[in-house]
Amino acid sequence: QARSLAALRSPRRSLPARSPRVRMVGDTWQPPAVAACITGHVRTLSITASNIFETMIAPIRDHVDVFSALSPVIDDRYPPRNAWHPKYQSQTGPRKNSTTTMTKDRIEQWMHIFSPISVDVETTTNENEGLHRCFQKVQRRERERHSLYRFLLRLRPDVAYQTRLPEWPAWWNLVRHAESSLALTDVSSPSTSCFKDVWSLMTRAAAAAYFAPSWP
């Protein structure tokens, strides 16, 4: 659920340095099992980045690599009427005729908290374009490390998450038992899809359909 922008502006504790992107299992080193893709217009990323990190990345930080394909647009919509009323805080107003963009250097500063594998900044024409660009970064990393990620987590840069992911042991137990239900490849059917625009978790096999250049 989205949180109010006022709450996000409150002071936050400092965050520890990111651990190496490998973990010890028995006598062998294993790379992260999860690839997190942050895609979409940056919009409120300057104030939502810390929330996204604390709720979605920090609980599994030793087991996740972060990738991003971001559009530099920061104000493509007018705020809705009664924007500060709780009922309307998660809504957006009509599109503006002109938009304001942010520089790549500033966006990279906002993304620094995630220690990302890559930060790709380019104006996109639709949602699928950014998703597919991010997936290409994931695929390139898989070739470099000679292994596939097991799960992909899709996040939005302009959303604040109220529910924090469980710590890795509990998270892993949940997703591995639910793996069959996460392996959905028919993203065109609302009756069989568990994906949402603001948060999606899927197996690597399902990712090819979700991160495709276009949907059916």
Side-chain angles (χ1 to χ4, degrees):
Q1 297 179 3
R3 297 173 59 186
S4 68
L5 297 184
L8 294 175
R9 293 192 179 97
S10 61
R12 293 186 177 275
R13 58 178 176 80
S14 59
L15 297 167
R18 170 95 183 249
S19 301
R21 295 187 183 93
V22 292
R23 63 189 179 97
M24 194 71 176
V25 178
D27 297 326
T28 61
W29 290 99
Q30 291 191 4
V34 183
C37 280
I38 303 176
T39 69
H41 293 330
V42 293
R43 290 182 181 138
T44 57
L45 181 62
S46 61
I47 57 175
T48 54
S50 60
N51 165 272
I52 297 169
F53 178 84
E54 291 176 4
T55 57
M56 297 289 115
I57 304 302
I60 58 173
R61 65 186 300 171
D62 293 338
H63 308 268
V64 60
D65 283 336
V66 177
F67 303 81
S68 65
L70 302 168
S71 171
V73 173
I74 60 175
D75 66 343
D76 59 327
R77 292 180 179 273
Y78 291 105
R81 290 181 298 173
N82 301 320
W84 295 107
H85 189 284
K87 178 180 178 181
Y88 298 100
Q89 284 179 358
S90 62
Q91 298 182 12
T92 57
R95 288 188 178 277
K96 293 182 176 181
N97 292 326
S98 61
T99 60
T100 303
T101 59
M102 184 52 62
T103 64
K104 181 178 180 180
D105 287 344
R106 180 59 62 85
I107 294 172
E108 289 178 341
Q109 292 176 11
W110 296 341
M111 288 294 298
H112 180 73
I113 190 174
F114 300 100
S115 299
I117 299 294
S118 66
V119 179
D120 184 14
V121 179
E122 184 178 335
T123 302
T124 55
T125 57
N126 57 64
E127 180 180 16
N128 291 89
E129 184 179 342
L131 289 170
H132 187 61
R133 278 179 23 226
C134 197
F135 188 51
Q136 289 178 317
K137 303 294 184 183
V138 171
Q139 291 175 308
R140 180 181 302 173
R141 182 63 173 177
E142 289 175 330
R143 291 191 293 269
E144 293 172 352
R145 69 181 210 165
H146 306 293
S147 64
L148 300 179
Y149 291 97
R150 191 160 178 178
F151 297 97
L152 270 79
L153 174 65
R154 188 271 171 122
L155 305 170
R156 282 258 302 262
D158 59 345
V159 172
Y161 299 96
Q162 187 172 17
T163 301
R164 191 175 191 265
L165 289 181
E167 300 298 322
W168 178 257
W171 192 94
W172 180 246
N173 285 333
L174 287 173
V175 296
R176 67 188 180 92
H177 290 305
E179 193 162 352
S180 60
S181 64
L182 294 171
L184 300 175
T185 56
D186 182 8
V187 298
S188 64
S189 174
S191 62
T192 60
S193 175
C194 65
F195 304 119
K196 291 185 178 298
D197 181 49
V198 296
W199 188 95
S200 299
L201 175 66
M202 69 212 74
T203 60
R204 178 60 178 80
Y210 181 80
F211 288 92
S214 61
W215 290 334

